[in-house]
């Protein structure tokens, strides 16, 4: 049995020391430290790690952190929604989003061509930039073959981002798609048409009737990213189909041994975003005796806390990849 | 300016009278009455109505109410996640879900083959029944043609449910897919592979390589369900891609004139489920001067309250379809 | 074992029928129906019923409903925060609050002397009216005796509201204090100084040094409202000291047999507002085998639903007081 | 206009660097960094700082951090609920709370004499220890005088804790009451009877009829902790009467120039815990142009993050008290 311990600030306290201390504080801070521990253990066990997130987290500055986590070898499979893919591409072309306000005048923003996501502003220009980039990319893909699974497309786009970034500048090093492509981490997006990406796929298909996006093929692809014999871990941020698809893939492979859910939602309404790791056991999505933690809170705060603690612990113990220096 | 008015119970008070009274009570009750008003006005204006919901709402007893709403002409386009489609099919075959508990022992449930969704229990048998139904259905579809947009598949399945229901019994009258098919209401699901349905599509495609699910075609289909000239309304329950896809379709058609969002999420984390009708204006998803309301609360309670008030008001004023008697 | 049943609207559906149907719908609707059942059973068992609420619920139109519930004999002990007492008095003098908006410009409101509580506007005039009323009342109390327990003061004020209402008009029939005084229902407020009321007590005491508010005496009073041998029920709305004080009183009397918590808060942060009926068992606040339900949602919607269902059921079964006709 | 910036982990990152980076991430992380800035500015402006918290935060390991914050001169006035006072006293006597689980079996806990607060366990022994300590303390107070304002009592108890701690051991250095007494920081608790403390006051008063707790006197005391001419800041954690009482005191002194609210609640239900700094402006609780931030999230995580960033910034700039080394 462990005891609550009075937290005290120490000068120059690191994030890792901080999260460790929180493990004896109470409420969600205890769960946060548990989650960091579960991430450490899933990595040390050599589990295949599924990382799922929704597009609003890519809109935020977590995008570069996701890319870094892939680079550090802490995510083996990515599942996300298509808005995140779009914004990763925009940002790779140099577009920047602004810090706004939850209380902004939305009618005024609309007149100025500014789209609000909580307290972040995304301009129409960024969407136009996405358009400029995606149209020639689709042509290049089509030239290679006619039928694509989404994860294959994303891999190809990741490599094109590097190419273009090297040619014209652009922030490809922080790109999720680039880092994933470079490290053979597949990126899945079960609703590829639900965004501007879908609109451009539609326009392209109008001109090229034999161009096909084969989502069923990607079901096979995610299914075979792992096996029932392999240890599996899930780090699910928020809810939506990205969380559901990741745990569906683990369910069909016998369930995950490790699971960390970070979300703002409670279980009270039966939603996917609020579904707990406990509920997941009834489905076999995670194993009965899984090492699991659910942390309630804003992912923009909780996710970096959990991961920094895990990264520094793993680094100390020699479990991180060599080139993890930056 | 309107005043808060002390609420009083009256014997035999109807739901419609109740919601009307709540309009002068405070907090979410005011927003609830506003939402009911917006639904009444969108219908009276002849707007095309997009209704979006997530699968957990189909798991609940709202499934029959969704079917009824379609029958009453209060939803012209449906957008949902694939779990809802699966469960609609299971229930149409006579499967029933049980009332459970949020505190159930999930390991014990797992041993018994029971899957928990909040306080609802779904047995493995129900999923097997889905399997029994979907496999021959996919064969029938394949016999007709090789390339299907998801909304076309759902329409066909809806008609097959009637056929089978008439032959073998089964609750097809309360089926969303059946009522939608019968009334030419398209059902969209931008992530058709994210569930058991996806697994069976994958197995089927393994045997029939020329079988294709064309999600890009469905982007075109939802885009052309309405036009910029038509008045449009959105009733979005919860979040996820179902909400996003519905408002994307209205955005690309100039924005909705009417919008009602019912959700448990707040805007604080920039999620789709918490995104407000106000934020939607910055995007042009809904018009600057739209008639809009956001109600925070469990949809299993708020949605029937809003709709019953709207239905009875519309019926009184002669705006409901003839055969709306039950 | 009970089954989920597809909900269907029926024309002219009453609130009571509606809540009954919700019992087979799912998520919070199931809990809502359970809560209504627990209220019915606590009344039929002759339990002493503690009803606790926070002041924002009195700001809303629930104030008249609280008064009605007292009149119907469904609350034997009231616990609240002092803002609710203040507003009950303002409203009894004829003051009205306005329906506002969550998005109102608060700086502009401040300039106009309007105070916002969510989407309700309370004018400075209402506070001045409270001042006009409370000052002479304190004098009358002081003339009677020098040392008052808060619950004694509230009882006296309730009777004065009737007197003044009869003389000058004013909405005393919907007053919580009046109905409570008339029916010998004690009203407790463990933080009587936390509001405008406290300011006037302070001013009064400055002039009358021997005027004493004896909060310790009210601890005795609430302790002796019931006994360990009596059945006890708690209906707690929201959190704060009103909820805590009610369950403290039942704890010290052996725990409640019946408990209904209605709140928007989850248990995740260890707060009183989010504390569940399950947690309460560890404390002995409610009995191990208590008939208990927790409903997550806005009280302005859930409380009238629960109570109307309970009232109509009790009336049918002959368990309501004679004069409950209005 | 500032830009979102991709977050990157750097080895050995301190909490202060981390919170600074979060200021460019998005959603609640932006608000968190804003809150830290507001705390820095309120201290640099020499504002009187009101710190309010609810008792569950004292149950957690934040208790020692509150004591440290008082010692560092970052809180001039404390407002809390009485449970926090009780637990501060228990812990000062050496009692420890255990790390438990939200899913614990509450009936089993009850049998073992363990009380649950979220995922923290408090044993009945701790309450007995409180009893052992408070009874002689009340006698000592009574020997000094008969009529006590709560804040006077807490000051006296704080000094007694030091005395006893030095004699018998006990964790008085981390005690809120001790550090507050030592630094002339008044501790207010507008509902002193709402807990075990109230029960012992009642028992004591039964034997000593002339013993009086004068809550009205404490209204005067908090009113005169500051003046309209002084700059004022509020750091309010959670809701309840502690938050309300702190902002009532600033309101009556012309409103606060600085305000930081940390809470899990949203504004949707008009509750005090969810009331925003924006709403506070309509009341004049905070000034129209106040430097204000509201952060939604679990206080056990957000509060130390905000304060550590503020403390290290203030220390660097030479604005912290000399003996702040630990």
């Amino acid at each position: 049995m462990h005891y609550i311990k009075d937290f005290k600030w120490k000068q120059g306290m690191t994030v890792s020391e901080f999260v460790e201390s929180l493990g004896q504080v109470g409420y969600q801070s205890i769960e946060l430290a548990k989650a960091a521990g579960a991430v450490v253990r899933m990595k040390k066990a050599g589990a295949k790690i599924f990382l799922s997130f929704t597009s609003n987290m890519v809109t935020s500055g977590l995008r570069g952190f996701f890319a870094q986590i892939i680079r550090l070898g802490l995510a083996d499979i990515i599942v996300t929604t298509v808005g995140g893919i779009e914004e990763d591409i925009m940002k790779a072309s140099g577009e920047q989003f602004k810090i706004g306000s939850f209380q902004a005048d939305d009618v005024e923003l609309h007149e100025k061509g500014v789209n609000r996501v909580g307290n972040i502003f995304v301009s129409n220009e960024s969407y136009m930039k996405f358009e400029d980039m995606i149209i020639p990319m689709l042509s290049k893909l089509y030239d290679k073959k006619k039928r694509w699974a989404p994860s294959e497309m994303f891999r190809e786009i990741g490599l094109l981002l590097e190419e273009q970034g090297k040619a014209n500048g652009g922030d490809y090093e922080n790109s999720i798609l680039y880092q994933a492509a470079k490290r053979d981490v597949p990126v899945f997006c079960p609703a590829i048409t639900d965004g501007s990406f879908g609109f451009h796929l539609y326009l392209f298909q109008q001109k090229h009737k034999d161009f096909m996006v084969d989502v069923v093929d990607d079901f096979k692809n995610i299914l075979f990213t792992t096996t029932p014999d392999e240890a599996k871990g899930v780090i699910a941020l928020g809810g939506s189909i990205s969380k559901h698809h990741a745990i569906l893939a683990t369910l069909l492979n016998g369930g995950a041994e490790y699971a960390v859910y970070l979300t703002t939602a409670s279980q009270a309404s039966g939603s996917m975003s609020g579904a707990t790791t406990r509920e997941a056991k009834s489905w076999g999505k995670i194993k009965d005796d899984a090492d699991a933690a659910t942390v309630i809170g804003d992912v923009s705060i909780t996710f970096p806390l959990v991961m920094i603690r895990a990264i520094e612990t793993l680094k100390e113990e020699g479990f991180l990849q060599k080139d993890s220096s930056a």
Side-chain angles (χ1 to χ4, degrees), chain A:
Chain A
M1 185 57 89
H2 296 284
Y3 291 93
I4 295 294
K5 194 177 155 192
D6 274 320
F7 175 82
K8 299 286 280 284
W9 161 70
K10 287 187 202 93
Q11 193 160 354
M13 197 170 208
T14 67
V15 173
S16 182
E17 292 163 348
F18 175 71
V19 176
E20 192 184 13
S21 296
L22 287 191
Q24 291 180 277
V25 168
Y27 318 125
Q28 294 310 300
S29 63
I30 289 175
E31 310 303 319
L32 192 83
K34 253 192 236 173
V39 172
V40 167
R41 288 183 292 273
M42 70 174 82
K43 180 65 186 169
K44 288 169 72 170
K48 275 279 174 73
I49 303 178
F50 289 75
L51 172 64
S52 82
F53 46 83
T54 51
S55 75
N56 58 318
M57 298 168 197
V58 180
T59 321
S60 84
L62 291 184
R63 176 223 183 208
F65 193 46
F66 292 136
Q68 188 178 30
I69 280 164
I70 293 168
R71 216 160 70 72
L72 291 170
L74 282 166
D76 299 300
I77 298 104
I78 299 288
V79 194
T80 188
T81 53
V82 79
I85 306 282
E86 296 164 6
E87 295 179 353
D88 186 58
I89 295 172
M90 290 175 203
K91 289 188 177 187
S93 82
E95 284 299 305
Q96 286 200 290
F97 301 167
K98 287 177 179 160
I99 298 173
S101 158
F102 287 106
Q103 278 85 45
D105 181 327
D106 288 290
V107 171
E108 198 181 301
L109 290 181
H110 186 217
E111 281 162 14
K112 292 184 182 167
V114 174
N115 308 293
R116 186 165 69 82
V117 180
N119 55 1
I120 302 179
F121 292 163
V122 180
S123 72
N124 283 347
E125 279 73 28
S126 293
Y127 277 92
M128 286 183 242
K129 195 60 178 282
F130 171 71
E131 193 174 320
D132 292 346
M133 295 188 75
I134 197 68
I135 293 172
M137 282 175 168
L138 290 179
S139 290
K140 285 189 188 171
L141 266 67
Y142 180 72
D143 290 345
K144 289 207 171 175
K145 60 176 188 171
K146 309 302 171 219
R147 187 166 164 174
W148 289 84
S151 65
E152 292 175 318
M153 298 180 70
F154 300 144
R155 188 186 143 76
E156 204 68 21
I157 292 172
L159 298 174
L160 288 171
L161 289 178
E162 181 186 24
E163 209 175 275
Q164 296 187 2
K166 282 184 176 162
N168 319 319
D171 182 18
Y172 73 91
E173 282 284 348
N174 286 319
S175 160
I176 296 163
L177 290 188
Y178 163 69
Q179 292 291 354
K182 199 169 155 193
R183 276 156 187 82
D184 282 327
V185 168
V187 175
F188 294 100
C189 178
I192 188 173
T193 61
D194 185 34
S196 184
F197 205 115
F199 185 65
H200 290 291
L201 288 174
Y202 148 68
L203 292 177
F204 193 84
Q205 189 170 277
Q206 287 303 100
K207 291 188 214 150
H208 309 87
K209 295 291 180 190
D210 58 345
F211 178 74
M212 282 295 306
V213 176
D214 189 351
V215 293
V216 176
D217 195 41
D218 247 0
F219 192 93
K220 183 190 69 192
N221 292 333
I222 196 167
L223 196 60
F224 288 102
T225 54
T226 186
T227 68
D229 292 341
E230 258 179 333
K232 288 167 288 294
V234 176
I235 305 171
L237 313 186
S240 201
I241 51 161
S242 41
K243 176 179 177 182
H244 187 259
H245 212 59
I247 57 187
L248 178 65
T250 57
L251 166 66
L252 293 171
N253 279 289
E257 278 79 6
Y258 304 89
V260 167
Y261 289 3
L262 309 183
T263 181
T264 54
S266 97
Q267 63 167 359
S269 296
S271 69
M272 181 38 50
S273 50
T276 61
T277 51
R278 196 167 63 79
E279 180 181 300
K281 291 182 183 179
S282 74
W283 292 84
K285 289 165 178 172
I286 71 172
K287 288 202 153 64
D288 290 353
D289 58 351
D291 186 348
T294 300
V295 186
I296 306 295
D298 193 290
V299 167
S300 74
I301 297 169
T302 58
F303 180 65
L305 286 173
V306 165
M307 293 310 290
I308 291 174
R309 171 67 185 159
I311 290 167
E312 302 221 343
T313 307
L314 287 164
K315 202 163 171 70
E316 255 172 49
E317 305 187 14
F319 282 91
L320 273 204
Q321 294 178 0
K322 279 276 164 55
D323 73 335
S324 63
S325 54

